[in-house]
Amino acid sequence: MKQYWAIPPEHSAEFVAALEDVLAVYQRAPDPAHPVICMDETSKQLVGETRVSLPAVPGRPQREDYEYERHGVANLFLFSEPLTGWREVQVTERRTRIEWAEALRELSDRQYPTAERITVVLDNLNTHGPASFYEAFAPDEARRLTERFEFHYTPKHGSWLNIAEIELSVLSRQCLDRRIQDAETLRNETRAWQQARNAASKTVDWQFTTADARIKLKRLYPVIKP
């Protein structure tokens, strides 16, 4: 038996610099003019039934045939504001720079139109950054969006620092852990999930600080020789 982990490198200045940067963001006081958003993404294979499943009855769970039809893969962008208990899931056909840029513009102009600057914590993927705005939009619009955002990236092998990953885990358990046959059904299901969690104001109380990291993750810090 083996377990798979994203094990960070020891004595890595690059890792701990990004680690402490993200942790400092999480210590900021709430400020509606400068919201802190966490963003993550995942994919969902769309599959359909080849035979009608049998509904659950007392003493017997729902039964579905082991055969299924593949209907492609959908991408999900998840945005979460941990301090307010807000989150949103956007379902797209692909996960290119274009879709990411359009999702960020939606976040900016529809969800936070009055914010002075939006801080986003996200994983360091090649699609996640201002260059994607210039791939998707005219230069004036790309520059406008670039100035709307402040990006902070989790270190490589440190995606656990992204609070949106917690939300994705909940989404996977509560909504995605079953067969969904098409993107429209996926949108409806994720929308219902986010509305329920937003109505309950499910927040995340992040407790891990820079002081904790310097003690518990001491092996990751470079050894300074006198």
Side-chain angles (χ1 to χ4, degrees), residues 4-130:
Y4 292 91
W5 297 85
I7 302 174
E10 294 190 7
H11 310 313
S12 171
E14 182 178 2
F15 184 94
V16 297
L19 163 74
E20 293 205 355
D21 179 62
V22 170
L23 293 179
V25 169
Y26 289 161
Q27 291 299 304
R28 294 180 184 177
D31 182 358
H34 301 87
V36 173
I37 311 300
C38 297
M39 176 264 162
D40 204 354
E41 60 185 90
T42 190
S43 59
K44 170 65 177 176
Q45 185 178 51
L46 304 174
V47 297
E49 304 288 358
T50 58
R51 294 176 178 81
V52 177
S53 61
L54 301 178
V57 296
R60 180 177 294 175
Q62 177 181 336
R63 290 178 291 172
E64 56 186 26
D65 197 270
Y66 67 89
E67 292 185 350
Y68 57 86
E69 296 177 337
R70 298 179 183 270
H71 293 166
V73 177
N75 178 67
L76 299 94
F77 293 120
L78 185 145
F79 299 94
S80 171
E81 186 176 4
L83 293 178
T84 65
W86 172 87
R87 75 277 297 145
E88 180 177 81
V89 181
Q90 295 187 30
V91 177
T92 63
E93 292 183 3
R94 301 181 299 168
R95 55 182 301 180
T96 68
R97 289 179 182 269
I98 306 300
E99 283 75 24
W100 182 86
E102 291 173 345
L104 268 289
R105 181 162 71 169
E106 180 84 357
L107 180 73
S108 165
D109 297 352
R110 183 170 62 85
Q111 294 296 343
Y112 297 94
T114 62
E116 294 178 5
R117 196 167 175 85
I118 305 166
T119 297
V120 182
V121 175
L122 68 175
D123 295 342
N124 196 358
L125 302 180
N126 62 354
T127 55
H128 293 173

Side-chain angles (χ1 to χ4, degrees), residues 23 26-27 82-83 160-161 163 166 203-213 216:
L23 293 179
Y26 289 161
Q27 291 299 304
L83 293 178
W160 57 271
L161 287 161
I163 293 177
I166 298 173
T203 60
V204 176
D205 185 15
W206 186 270
Q207 295 291 322
F208 192 69
T209 66
T210 300
D212 296 323
K216 297 178 180 180

Side-chain angles (χ1 to χ4, degrees), residues 145-217:
L145 289 169
T146 298
E147 294 177 349
R148 291 278 288 146
F149 290 101
E150 172 189 329
F151 296 117
H152 294 262
Y153 298 99
T154 60
K156 185 178 180 181
H157 300 294
S159 63
W160 57 271
L161 287 161
N162 190 345
I163 293 177
E165 192 171 275
I166 298 173
E167 286 290 335
L168 272 185
S169 177
V170 177
L171 174 66
S172 296
R173 295 194 309 271
Q174 296 181 349
C175 183
L176 303 182
D177 190 22
R178 56 192 176 84
R179 293 178 182 176
I180 298 177
Q181 67 176 2
D182 55 61
E184 188 58 33
T185 301
L186 181 60
R187 288 189 183 94
N188 292 336
E189 294 294 327
T190 55
R191 187 180 302 117
W193 174 85
Q194 77 186 29
Q195 288 174 348
R197 280 184 69 79
N198 287 345
S201 298
K202 295 289 187 179
T203 60
V204 176
D205 185 15
W206 186 270
Q207 295 291 322
F208 192 69
T209 66
T210 300
D212 296 323
R214 292 177 181 178
I215 296 172
K216 297 178 180 180
L217 301 179

